[in-house]
Amino acid sequence: MNELSRLFQSGLASLQRGQAAAAKDIFNQLLAKAPNHPEVCHYLALSEYQTGNHGKAETLLRRALKIKPDYWQAHNNLGVILKEQGKLEHAKTAYKKLLKHVPDYADARSNLGIVLNELGDENAAKEQFEAAIGLQANHADANNALGVIYRNQGDTQAAINCFKKAISVAPNHAEAQNNLGNAYQSVGNIDEAIKQFSLALKVNPRYAEAHCNLGTAYQNVGRLLDAKRSFETALKIDPGNAEFLFKLAWNYHERCEYSEASKYYQETLRIDEHHLDAHSNLLMLNNYIPELSRDALFRLHQDWEKRLPEHLKRVQSKAKAADLAVKKKYRIGYVSPDFRRHSVAFFFEPLLENHNRDRFEIHCYYNNHLEDDVTEGLKALADGWVNTLNMDDQTLAEKIRQDGIDILVDLAGHTALNRLRTFALAPAPVQLSWLGYPNTTGLSTIAYRISDAFADPEGHSEAFHSEEVLRMPKGFLCYKSKEQVPVERKSGAKDKAATTFGSFNYLPKVNSHVVKTWATLLKRMPEARLLIKSKQLADAGIRESFLRQFTEWGVKKDQLDLRASTVSAEEHLDLYNEVDIALDPFPYNGTTTTFEALWMGVPVLTLCGEAHASRVGYSILSQLGMDEWVAHSEEEYIEKAITLSQQKKALGQLKRELRQNLADSHLCDGQRFTADYEAQLEGVIKTLAR
């Protein structure tokens, strides 16, 4: 073996042992002696790459290819290095040149697919992954990458099959395990998702994304403190990751730690000013607490629009609102992530059932993968149905334009999985917001918001809305219960004569002011008990925290009954049979919980404030003729609760009659509500035509 061959073998051995610096020294010696040797250039490039010198590695690989154009290993490694430098178009060229020389190279097809996918050409990427698998059925990376595309296209089962195939070939494929966990999580199989994320972390304990995904799974099953630890671990590994900060903020949000949640939402926005979900969550959070003024909260809503990236600020609507006046039939589109067993559906279904089909053609744009019997019922009532979860904002806006939608209605506001960014592109000539969110959107492209004079009194609400408020004459809500759970008295108290107060609201609505007021009431009535039900109370730490808050105000532990979610909707409603009087939180009142309580014969005591969120209870009860259940101060709230609790005969009669009273009221009159709603839309169109 001559000297050059000996040095070459020594360099290769160093590379194989992971001694890249030593290999680089050897191959530099060789390059000085043989400057036109393509293999020397190639392996020196690999040595430079492994020591972090990507630019030098690229130069050396191009030099090797100039000497030997069909050097396919150099083409492949050049593609890898170019991709890591973000030079995706150049990487694509490198892989295509490689495939001209070796078209049956599965790794190259898989790598090209990854580059094409990052360039946004999903279909071309899919073809390459399928080709790689055709050449090598057990190609783990290609199966994993193909699974990601199937998941993005909404074919979750195909995605799961691909991820499972990748893992069967490569049991320690942490990325495939993480992806499989995400797929299971998307279809609600949280236990299996947790298992897969845990397996990924066993392979790679520093896999930050898997820690975050595990935290999300824990959060979805109410293990909030476990979720917090997972999010914090992800942040220790990757401290500047905006998504991890957002998830930690969300965790504090769910655990009712408002100041910490606000801090982390703001930190998310500091790192990523366009993280609109963080801004939306911050807006929702500030509806729960009374410290922020209405004016400051309105400005914060307006700031959401200012954070839109430039490509979402271009209004592209082609139709003109004034042109609608000549139409005999309007196409109306509803956009929501909640066309399923969700609070929004209880109020949306009566409208959909009663729309005048001679005047309105109904299109639903559903931004969720979850489907159930409610989804199927709503689909049957719609003229058009589109799942939008995998559409970006511009694609969805174009779809809405193609569908010829005249009136587009947002049903989500700043709640999870909203499509307000699509509304920013103004795909329809008339855009409204209704139902899902108790405040303004702050979006200049949404012209109207549907409410009523109780929730948004004329002259007191306009200054805090970017939209014009359309006031329904008999309330902005119409309720339809799908469950016929019997109404009966089931006292959970030791003394059946004692009063049981109850609240089944989302726990973050129960802020420190609410706790203090409810604690004062319980101290005034030491024989009474308070039943609080919320999904967050599945976590033992959260239960202990809430118990501590009440006991610090002098409440006895046995006066509190803290429960987590029930298995079924029927069990949830039946639990109201243990409640004598429902307590509405403030300043963010209940909506669905108020109707549920009334449906189950339980009176609801509400505290009326200034903003819409704190006046929904007043709106509902006023429509029912129960103004005596509305308080205007915390002191009056307590006194009314005590007075009502003493009216045992009246409470018994309410238990027997309240459901029928509600059913007979215009709060459950879908035909009347829809006629009023359509009159509002007709009025808007007439105004625009002038």
Side-chain angles (χ1 to χ4, degrees), residues 206-241:
R206 291 189 59 78
Y207 194 169
E209 183 184 339
H211 280 292
C212 183
N213 291 334
L214 178 61
T216 300
Y218 283 147
Q219 186 123 333
N220 285 336
V221 293
R223 294 171 59 178
L224 299 182
L225 294 178
D226 287 335
K228 176 176 179 283
R229 284 188 282 270
S230 291
F231 296 141
E232 287 174 338
T233 302
L235 278 166
K236 284 179 184 176
I237 298 168
D238 187 0
N241 189 298

Side-chain angles (χ1 to χ4, degrees), residues 61-101:
L61 287 170
R62 292 191 183 282
R63 182 172 170 180
L65 288 165
K66 190 174 182 179
I67 300 164
K68 186 180 178 182
D70 62 348
Y71 193 172
W72 60 268
Q73 295 96 332
H75 280 296
N76 188 54
N77 287 324
L78 178 60
V80 171
I81 290 168
L82 289 167
K83 178 185 175 296
E84 289 198 14
Q85 293 181 95
K87 299 177 180 179
L88 298 180
E89 287 290 349
H90 294 296
K92 180 174 77 171
T93 300
Y95 287 126
K96 285 189 170 182
K97 285 182 178 178
L98 165 59
L99 287 166
K100 284 181 180 178
H101 297 291

Side-chain angles (χ1 to χ4, degrees), residues 4 8 30-31 34-42 63-64 67 71:
L4 289 180
F8 190 86
L30 279 167
L31 191 64
N36 293 319
H37 195 299
E39 283 78 9
V40 171
C41 292
H42 176 239
R63 182 172 170 180
I67 300 164
Y71 193 172

Side-chain angles (χ1 to χ4, degrees), residues 148-338:
V148 172
I149 288 181
Y150 278 130
R151 187 187 65 201
N152 290 343
Q153 293 179 340
D155 192 344
T156 307
Q157 189 54 56
I160 288 172
N161 293 340
C162 285
F163 298 139
K164 283 184 173 180
K165 180 67 174 178
I167 295 166
S168 71
V169 176
N172 291 330
H173 201 305
E175 186 180 347
Q177 289 163 334
N178 177 64
N179 287 334
L180 181 57
N182 280 331
Y184 279 128
Q185 182 149 249
S186 73
V187 293
N189 190 345
I190 307 301
D191 290 342
E192 191 61 38
I194 290 172
K195 175 184 173 182
Q196 294 302 323
F197 296 138
S198 300
L199 287 171
L201 290 167
K202 189 174 180 180
V203 174
N204 180 6
R206 291 189 59 78
Y207 194 169
E209 183 184 339
H211 280 292
C212 183
N213 291 334
L214 178 61
T216 300
Y218 283 147
Q219 186 123 333
N220 285 336
V221 293
R223 294 171 59 178
L224 299 182
L225 294 178
D226 287 335
K228 176 176 179 283
R229 284 188 282 270
S230 291
F231 296 141
E232 287 174 338
T233 302
L235 278 166
K236 284 179 184 176
I237 298 168
D238 187 0
N241 189 298
E243 193 61 23
F244 300 166
L245 284 163
F246 169 63
K247 290 295 181 68
L248 183 58
W250 172 49
N251 180 266
Y252 279 115
H253 185 145
E254 290 266 293
R255 293 191 295 115
C256 311
E257 296 191 33
Y258 309 104
S259 61
E260 288 297 296
S262 179
K263 180 180 82 173
Y264 281 105
Y265 283 137
Q266 291 180 43
E267 180 64 11
T268 303
L269 291 166
R270 186 189 67 78
I271 292 172
D272 179 4
E273 65 174 328
H274 299 308
H275 201 304
L276 295 169
D277 289 339
H279 198 137
S280 285
N281 278 21
L282 181 61
L283 293 173
M284 178 61 86
L285 179 73
N286 280 294
N287 283 296
Y288 299 139
I289 53 180
E291 282 77 14
L292 199 66
S293 70
R294 291 182 75 189
D295 187 58
L297 185 53
F298 175 52
R299 290 198 301 272
L300 197 59
H301 279 82
Q302 290 178 307
D303 286 344
W304 187 91
E305 185 174 49
K306 296 174 185 176
R307 292 185 183 276
L308 286 167
E310 286 302 317
H311 72 279
L312 294 180
K313 290 182 180 179
R314 295 191 295 274
V315 178
Q316 301 173 20
S317 181
K318 297 173 184 176
K320 294 181 180 178
D323 295 339
L324 297 182
V326 300
K327 287 197 168 189
K328 292 183 179 180
K329 191 171 185 178
Y330 306 115
R331 289 188 174 188
I332 185 166
Y334 292 99
V335 185
S336 175
D338 302 320

Side-chain angles (χ1 to χ4, degrees), residues 392-411:
D392 63 34
D393 299 298
Q394 289 166 307
T395 301
L396 175 54
E398 187 54 38
K399 172 61 177 168
I400 291 166
R401 290 189 200 98
Q402 289 173 359
D403 290 343
I405 299 301
D406 303 306
I407 303 166
L408 192 66
V409 184
D410 158 56
L411 299 176

Side-chain angles (χ1 to χ4, degrees), residues 106 128-139 142-144 146 162:
Q128 293 300 326
F129 296 136
E130 289 172 340
I133 293 167
L135 292 165
Q136 186 181 328
N138 290 336
H139 198 294
N143 275 288
N144 176 58
L146 182 60
C162 285

